[in-house]
């Protein structure tokens, strides 16, 4: 089979994370959900590392714990909003990931929201190491694009000598395909 080079959004986010995160690092999954990214990060940080995984839904944290199995020893599951991240994370962080939208296959109606997402990204930028990254997978469908436009407006104002903000997307996908924002802290 041909090797894929142009990756879809979630695999691309994982590739960026794998490039930056090393064994022993502290990292953040700001939207644990079903725990797919939490598990991936737990594998990257190894036994000496730590993943701080946030979700406002207890149900999501339970699903994440189940997905982690024995890897749970590397993860702090935090039942609180990611906007409160600095109350829990005191270490310098190598990377953080967000998956915006709602938890698929549930009907709780709980979705991420522009104001708290932006608050969390600004807070995480403070504790991010130089060369550290934040990946944000953005689904526009859940609220008619409101979170997406507020986020783009806020992030495009970040000082370019401090952080680079890039957008990666496949432009020939049907049905509101997600796009990826990548922030890299420069100093
Ligand atoms: N990466 C996940 C998908 C996450 S879906 C997976 O592998 O399944 C988005 C998640 O963000 C939902 O579980 C929702 O409960 C959570 N969420 C919404 N607002 C939040 C907030 N303010 N802080 C932390 N998590 C939040």
């Amino acid at each position: 089979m041909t090797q894929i080079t142009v990756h879809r959004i979630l695999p691309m986010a994982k590739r960026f994370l794998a490039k930056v995160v090393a064994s022993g690092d502290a990292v953040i999954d700001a939207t644990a959900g079903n725990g797919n990214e939490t598990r991936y990060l737990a594998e990257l940080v190894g036994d000496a590392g730590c993943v701080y995984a946030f979700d406002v839904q207890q149900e999501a944290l339970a699903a994440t714990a189940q997905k982690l199995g024995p890897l749970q020893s590397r993860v702090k599951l935090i039942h609180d909003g990611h906007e409160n991240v600095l109350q829990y994370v005191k270490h310098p962080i190598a990377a953080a990931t967000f998956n915006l939208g709602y938890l698929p296959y549930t009907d709780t109606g709980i979705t991420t929201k522009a104001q708290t997402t932006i608050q969390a990204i600004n807070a995480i930028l403070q504790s991010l190491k130089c060369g550290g990254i934040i990946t944000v997978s953005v689904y526009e469908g859940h609220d008619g694009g409101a979170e997406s436009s507020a986020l783009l407006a806020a992030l495009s104002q970040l000082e370019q000598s401090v952080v680079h903000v890039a957008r990666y997307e496949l432009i020939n996908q049907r049905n509101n395909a997600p796009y990826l924002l990548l922030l890299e802290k420069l100093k």
Side-chain angles (χ1 to χ4, degrees):
M1 211 184 105
T2 332
Q3 183 92 26
I4 289 182
T5 304
V6 178
H7 295 275
R8 286 170 185 275
I9 296 321
L10 294 177
M12 197 65 183
K14 284 183 172 169
R15 289 176 83 88
F16 283 122
L17 292 166
K19 195 165 176 340
V20 169
V21 178
S23 166
D25 278 343
V27 300
I28 297 171
D29 186 349
T31 52
N34 285 317
N36 295 303
E37 277 72 30
T38 315
R39 187 182 164 97
Y40 187 70
L41 288 170
E43 286 165 0
L44 290 179
V45 299
D47 259 338
C50 177
V51 183
Y52 296 88
F54 289 83
D55 207 293
V56 288
Q57 296 190 68
Q58 191 62 59
E59 180 193 11
L61 294 174
T64 297
Q66 194 166 1
K67 181 142 298 166
L68 285 168
L71 291 181
Q72 203 182 325
S73 60
R74 303 175 182 179
V75 178
K76 292 197 189 340
L77 295 170
I78 301 164
H79 186 206
D80 198 354
H82 41 226
E83 60 276 17
N84 299 320
V85 58
L86 294 184
Q87 291 177 24
Y88 301 91
V89 178
K90 307 290 180 191
H91 296 289
I93 292 295
T97 187
F98 288 73
N99 206 322
L100 303 184
Y102 59 91
L103 193 57
Y105 321 119
T106 60
D107 55 1
T108 58
I110 295 177
T111 73
T112 52
K113 298 207 169 48
Q115 200 198 341
T116 38
T117 300
I118 292 165
Q119 211 178 320
I121 291 175
N122 282 321
I124 290 171
L125 277 172
Q126 290 178 40
S127 55
L128 199 64
K129 292 185 197 170
C130 292
I133 62 164
I134 305 175
T135 68
V136 190
S137 304
V138 188
Y139 297 79
E140 297 184 274
H142 71 95
D143 60 359
E147 182 175 30
S148 166
S149 12
L151 188 61
L152 289 175
L155 297 188
S156 60
Q157 296 304 312
L158 290 176
E159 171 53 42
Q160 66 177 40
S161 63
V162 177
V163 53
H164 278 165
V165 188
R167 173 172 175 160
Y168 172 87
E169 67 183 322
L170 277 64
I171 63 168
N172 65 334
Q173 306 287 300
R174 284 178 280 272
N175 303 330
N176 271 325
Y179 65 87
L180 177 66
L181 296 173
L182 179 68
L183 289 76
E184 178 175 17
K185 189 165 173 181
L186 306 172
K187 66 179 187 192

